Short mmCIF file of all heavy atoms in Angstrom, two decimals:
data_model
loop_
_atom_site.label_atom_id
_atom_site.label_comp_id
_atom_site.label_asym_id
_atom_site.label_seq_id
_atom_site.Cartn_x
_atom_site.Cartn_y
_atom_site.Cartn_z
N LYS A 1 0.96 -8.55 -8.53
CA LYS A 1 -0.36 -7.98 -8.23
C LYS A 1 -1.40 -9.03 -7.85
O LYS A 1 -2.30 -8.73 -7.06
CB LYS A 1 -0.85 -7.13 -9.39
CG LYS A 1 -0.93 -7.83 -10.73
CD LYS A 1 -1.17 -6.81 -11.84
CE LYS A 1 -1.11 -7.43 -13.21
NZ LYS A 1 -1.15 -6.42 -14.29
N GLN A 2 -1.29 -10.25 -8.39
CA GLN A 2 -2.28 -11.27 -8.04
C GLN A 2 -2.13 -11.76 -6.60
O GLN A 2 -3.01 -12.42 -6.06
CB GLN A 2 -2.22 -12.46 -9.00
CG GLN A 2 -0.89 -13.18 -9.04
CD GLN A 2 0.02 -12.67 -10.14
OE1 GLN A 2 -0.15 -11.57 -10.63
NE2 GLN A 2 0.97 -13.48 -10.53
N LYS A 3 -1.01 -11.41 -5.95
CA LYS A 3 -0.79 -11.80 -4.55
C LYS A 3 -1.24 -10.72 -3.57
O LYS A 3 -1.26 -10.94 -2.36
CB LYS A 3 0.70 -12.10 -4.34
CG LYS A 3 1.23 -13.31 -5.08
CD LYS A 3 0.78 -14.59 -4.44
CE LYS A 3 1.42 -15.81 -5.10
NZ LYS A 3 2.87 -15.91 -4.87
N ILE A 4 -1.57 -9.55 -4.08
CA ILE A 4 -1.95 -8.44 -3.21
C ILE A 4 -3.38 -8.63 -2.72
O ILE A 4 -4.26 -9.03 -3.48
CB ILE A 4 -1.81 -7.09 -3.95
CG1 ILE A 4 -0.37 -6.90 -4.43
CG2 ILE A 4 -2.21 -5.93 -3.05
CD1 ILE A 4 -0.17 -5.69 -5.32
N GLU A 5 -3.61 -8.32 -1.47
CA GLU A 5 -4.93 -8.50 -0.86
C GLU A 5 -5.52 -7.16 -0.45
O GLU A 5 -4.79 -6.23 -0.09
CB GLU A 5 -4.82 -9.39 0.39
CG GLU A 5 -4.20 -10.75 0.13
CD GLU A 5 -3.88 -11.49 1.42
OE1 GLU A 5 -4.03 -10.87 2.50
OE2 GLU A 5 -3.48 -12.66 1.35
N LYS A 6 -6.84 -7.06 -0.52
CA LYS A 6 -7.50 -5.91 0.06
C LYS A 6 -7.35 -5.99 1.58
O LYS A 6 -7.33 -7.07 2.15
CB LYS A 6 -8.98 -5.87 -0.32
CG LYS A 6 -9.24 -5.64 -1.80
CD LYS A 6 -10.73 -5.63 -2.08
CE LYS A 6 -11.02 -5.49 -3.56
NZ LYS A 6 -12.47 -5.51 -3.86
N GLY A 7 -7.26 -4.82 2.22
CA GLY A 7 -7.12 -4.82 3.67
C GLY A 7 -5.84 -4.13 4.12
O GLY A 7 -5.33 -3.23 3.44
N GLU A 8 -5.32 -4.55 5.24
CA GLU A 8 -4.20 -3.86 5.88
C GLU A 8 -2.91 -3.92 5.07
O GLU A 8 -2.57 -4.92 4.46
CB GLU A 8 -3.96 -4.44 7.27
CG GLU A 8 -5.10 -4.20 8.25
CD GLU A 8 -4.78 -4.75 9.64
OE1 GLU A 8 -3.66 -5.26 9.84
OE2 GLU A 8 -5.66 -4.67 10.51
N ALA A 9 -2.19 -2.79 5.10
CA ALA A 9 -0.87 -2.68 4.48
C ALA A 9 -0.14 -1.52 5.17
O ALA A 9 -0.68 -0.90 6.09
CB ALA A 9 -0.98 -2.47 2.98
N LYS A 10 1.07 -1.25 4.72
CA LYS A 10 1.87 -0.17 5.30
C LYS A 10 2.47 0.68 4.19
O LYS A 10 2.79 0.17 3.11
CB LYS A 10 3.02 -0.73 6.15
CG LYS A 10 2.60 -1.65 7.28
CD LYS A 10 2.12 -0.86 8.48
CE LYS A 10 1.88 -1.80 9.68
NZ LYS A 10 1.41 -1.04 10.86
N ILE A 11 2.61 1.99 4.43
CA ILE A 11 3.45 2.81 3.55
C ILE A 11 4.65 3.27 4.36
O ILE A 11 4.55 3.48 5.58
CB ILE A 11 2.70 4.01 2.94
CG1 ILE A 11 2.16 4.96 4.02
CG2 ILE A 11 1.60 3.56 2.02
CD1 ILE A 11 1.57 6.23 3.43
N VAL A 12 5.77 3.39 3.69
CA VAL A 12 7.02 3.80 4.33
C VAL A 12 7.32 5.23 3.92
O VAL A 12 7.39 5.54 2.73
CB VAL A 12 8.19 2.88 3.92
CG1 VAL A 12 9.46 3.27 4.66
CG2 VAL A 12 7.84 1.42 4.19
N SER A 13 7.50 6.11 4.92
CA SER A 13 7.73 7.52 4.62
C SER A 13 8.59 8.15 5.70
O SER A 13 8.64 7.67 6.84
CB SER A 13 6.39 8.27 4.52
OG SER A 13 6.60 9.65 4.30
N SER A 14 9.27 9.22 5.31
CA SER A 14 10.12 9.97 6.24
C SER A 14 9.57 11.37 6.49
O SER A 14 10.32 12.29 6.81
CB SER A 14 11.54 10.07 5.69
OG SER A 14 12.10 8.79 5.48
N VAL A 15 8.24 11.55 6.35
CA VAL A 15 7.65 12.88 6.51
C VAL A 15 7.86 13.44 7.92
O VAL A 15 7.87 14.65 8.13
CB VAL A 15 6.15 12.88 6.17
CG1 VAL A 15 5.93 12.78 4.68
CG2 VAL A 15 5.42 11.76 6.91
N SER A 16 8.03 12.56 8.91
CA SER A 16 8.23 13.02 10.29
C SER A 16 9.67 13.42 10.56
O SER A 16 9.98 13.96 11.63
CB SER A 16 7.82 11.92 11.27
OG SER A 16 8.74 10.83 11.20
N GLY A 17 10.55 13.18 9.59
CA GLY A 17 11.97 13.39 9.80
C GLY A 17 12.71 12.09 10.03
O GLY A 17 13.93 12.02 9.93
N LYS A 18 11.96 11.04 10.34
CA LYS A 18 12.51 9.70 10.51
C LYS A 18 11.72 8.73 9.63
O LYS A 18 10.54 8.89 9.41
CB LYS A 18 12.43 9.26 11.97
CG LYS A 18 13.29 10.06 12.93
CD LYS A 18 13.19 9.52 14.35
CE LYS A 18 14.07 10.30 15.31
NZ LYS A 18 13.97 9.78 16.70
N ARG A 19 12.42 7.71 9.17
CA ARG A 19 11.78 6.71 8.33
C ARG A 19 10.86 5.84 9.20
O ARG A 19 11.31 5.20 10.14
CB ARG A 19 12.85 5.85 7.65
CG ARG A 19 12.32 4.81 6.69
CD ARG A 19 13.48 3.98 6.14
NE ARG A 19 13.01 2.97 5.22
CZ ARG A 19 12.48 1.79 5.58
NH1 ARG A 19 12.34 1.51 6.86
NH2 ARG A 19 12.10 0.92 4.66
N LYS A 20 9.57 5.83 8.85
CA LYS A 20 8.59 5.08 9.63
C LYS A 20 7.62 4.36 8.71
O LYS A 20 7.45 4.72 7.54
CB LYS A 20 7.80 6.01 10.56
CG LYS A 20 8.60 6.61 11.70
CD LYS A 20 7.68 7.41 12.62
CE LYS A 20 8.44 7.98 13.81
NZ LYS A 20 7.53 8.71 14.74
N GLU A 21 6.94 3.35 9.28
CA GLU A 21 5.88 2.66 8.57
C GLU A 21 4.53 3.12 9.13
O GLU A 21 4.36 3.20 10.35
CB GLU A 21 6.02 1.14 8.73
CG GLU A 21 7.27 0.58 8.07
CD GLU A 21 7.38 -0.93 8.19
OE1 GLU A 21 6.43 -1.55 8.75
OE2 GLU A 21 8.40 -1.50 7.75
N TYR A 22 3.59 3.42 8.21
CA TYR A 22 2.28 3.92 8.61
C TYR A 22 1.19 3.00 8.05
O TYR A 22 1.28 2.52 6.92
CB TYR A 22 2.07 5.34 8.09
CG TYR A 22 3.05 6.35 8.65
CD1 TYR A 22 4.15 6.74 7.90
CD2 TYR A 22 2.87 6.90 9.91
CE1 TYR A 22 5.06 7.67 8.40
CE2 TYR A 22 3.77 7.84 10.43
CZ TYR A 22 4.86 8.22 9.67
OH TYR A 22 5.76 9.13 10.17
N SER A 23 0.13 2.80 8.82
CA SER A 23 -0.94 1.87 8.45
C SER A 23 -1.86 2.49 7.39
O SER A 23 -2.24 3.65 7.48
CB SER A 23 -1.77 1.50 9.67
OG SER A 23 -0.97 0.86 10.64
N ILE A 24 -2.23 1.65 6.42
CA ILE A 24 -3.23 2.03 5.42
C ILE A 24 -4.17 0.85 5.22
O ILE A 24 -3.90 -0.27 5.66
CB ILE A 24 -2.60 2.41 4.06
CG1 ILE A 24 -1.84 1.22 3.46
CG2 ILE A 24 -1.69 3.62 4.21
CD1 ILE A 24 -1.36 1.44 2.05
N ASN A 25 -5.27 1.09 4.53
CA ASN A 25 -6.22 0.05 4.18
C ASN A 25 -6.41 0.05 2.66
O ASN A 25 -6.82 1.06 2.08
CB ASN A 25 -7.57 0.27 4.87
CG ASN A 25 -8.56 -0.83 4.55
OD1 ASN A 25 -8.30 -2.00 4.82
ND2 ASN A 25 -9.70 -0.46 3.99
N ILE A 26 -6.08 -1.06 2.01
CA ILE A 26 -6.27 -1.17 0.56
C ILE A 26 -7.74 -1.42 0.27
O ILE A 26 -8.33 -2.40 0.76
CB ILE A 26 -5.40 -2.28 -0.04
CG1 ILE A 26 -3.91 -1.92 0.14
CG2 ILE A 26 -5.72 -2.49 -1.52
CD1 ILE A 26 -2.95 -3.00 -0.33
N ILE A 27 -8.35 -0.53 -0.52
CA ILE A 27 -9.79 -0.57 -0.78
C ILE A 27 -10.12 -1.32 -2.08
O ILE A 27 -11.01 -2.16 -2.13
CB ILE A 27 -10.37 0.85 -0.86
CG1 ILE A 27 -10.06 1.62 0.43
CG2 ILE A 27 -11.87 0.84 -1.13
CD1 ILE A 27 -10.36 3.12 0.32
N GLU A 28 -9.41 -0.98 -3.16
CA GLU A 28 -9.68 -1.57 -4.47
C GLU A 28 -8.37 -1.84 -5.20
O GLU A 28 -7.34 -1.19 -4.94
CB GLU A 28 -10.55 -0.64 -5.32
CG GLU A 28 -11.98 -0.45 -4.81
CD GLU A 28 -12.84 -1.69 -4.93
OE1 GLU A 28 -12.44 -2.61 -5.69
OE2 GLU A 28 -13.89 -1.75 -4.27
N LEU A 29 -8.44 -2.79 -6.15
CA LEU A 29 -7.30 -3.12 -7.00
C LEU A 29 -7.75 -3.09 -8.46
O LEU A 29 -8.77 -3.69 -8.80
CB LEU A 29 -6.74 -4.51 -6.65
CG LEU A 29 -6.18 -4.68 -5.24
CD1 LEU A 29 -5.96 -6.15 -4.92
CD2 LEU A 29 -4.88 -3.90 -5.08
N ASP A 30 -7.00 -2.38 -9.29
CA ASP A 30 -7.29 -2.30 -10.72
C ASP A 30 -6.08 -2.86 -11.46
O ASP A 30 -5.07 -2.18 -11.61
CB ASP A 30 -7.56 -0.85 -11.14
CG ASP A 30 -7.88 -0.72 -12.62
OD1 ASP A 30 -7.80 -1.73 -13.34
OD2 ASP A 30 -8.19 0.41 -13.06
N TYR A 31 -6.18 -4.11 -11.90
CA TYR A 31 -5.03 -4.80 -12.48
C TYR A 31 -4.57 -4.22 -13.81
O TYR A 31 -3.48 -4.52 -14.28
CB TYR A 31 -5.35 -6.29 -12.66
CG TYR A 31 -5.59 -7.02 -11.36
CD1 TYR A 31 -6.67 -7.88 -11.21
CD2 TYR A 31 -4.73 -6.85 -10.28
CE1 TYR A 31 -6.90 -8.55 -10.01
CE2 TYR A 31 -4.94 -7.52 -9.08
CZ TYR A 31 -6.03 -8.35 -8.96
OH TYR A 31 -6.24 -9.02 -7.77
N ASN A 32 -5.42 -3.41 -14.46
CA ASN A 32 -5.07 -2.88 -15.77
C ASN A 32 -4.52 -1.45 -15.73
O ASN A 32 -4.15 -0.90 -16.76
CB ASN A 32 -6.28 -2.92 -16.70
CG ASN A 32 -6.65 -4.34 -17.11
OD1 ASN A 32 -5.77 -5.13 -17.43
ND2 ASN A 32 -7.92 -4.67 -17.06
N SER A 33 -4.49 -0.84 -14.57
CA SER A 33 -4.01 0.53 -14.47
C SER A 33 -2.49 0.59 -14.50
O SER A 33 -1.82 -0.26 -13.91
CB SER A 33 -4.52 1.19 -13.19
OG SER A 33 -4.00 2.48 -13.03
N GLU A 34 -1.97 1.62 -15.16
CA GLU A 34 -0.51 1.75 -15.27
C GLU A 34 0.11 2.19 -13.96
O GLU A 34 1.09 1.60 -13.51
CB GLU A 34 -0.16 2.74 -16.38
CG GLU A 34 1.33 2.82 -16.66
CD GLU A 34 1.64 3.67 -17.88
OE1 GLU A 34 0.96 4.68 -18.10
OE2 GLU A 34 2.57 3.32 -18.62
N ASN A 35 -0.43 3.24 -13.34
CA ASN A 35 0.16 3.69 -12.07
C ASN A 35 -0.88 4.11 -11.03
O ASN A 35 -0.57 4.86 -10.10
CB ASN A 35 1.18 4.82 -12.29
CG ASN A 35 0.60 6.02 -12.99
OD1 ASN A 35 -0.62 6.18 -13.10
ND2 ASN A 35 1.47 6.89 -13.48
#
């Protein structure tokens, strides 16, 4: 978690029927949260 940066990242999902990577933007990080 200490290596994670706010900003661009990707999520991997097969919602389209094919496995793809989709762009997201990381807004905040809470190091004490469980999930």
Side-chain angles (χ1 to χ4, degrees):
K1 56 191 174 188
Q2 60 266 21
K3 294 286 185 68
I4 302 173
E5 303 169 353
K6 294 180 183 178
E8 294 182 3
K10 302 280 187 180
I11 60 173
V12 183
S13 177
S14 301
V15 286
S16 69
K18 294 182 179 180
R19 183 183 180 279
K20 292 185 177 182
E21 294 182 3
Y22 298 100
S23 299
I24 62 171
N25 182 58
I26 296 176
I27 304 169
E28 293 291 344
L29 297 167
D30 180 355
Y31 296 134
N32 289 317
S33 176
E34 186 172 37
N35 58 15

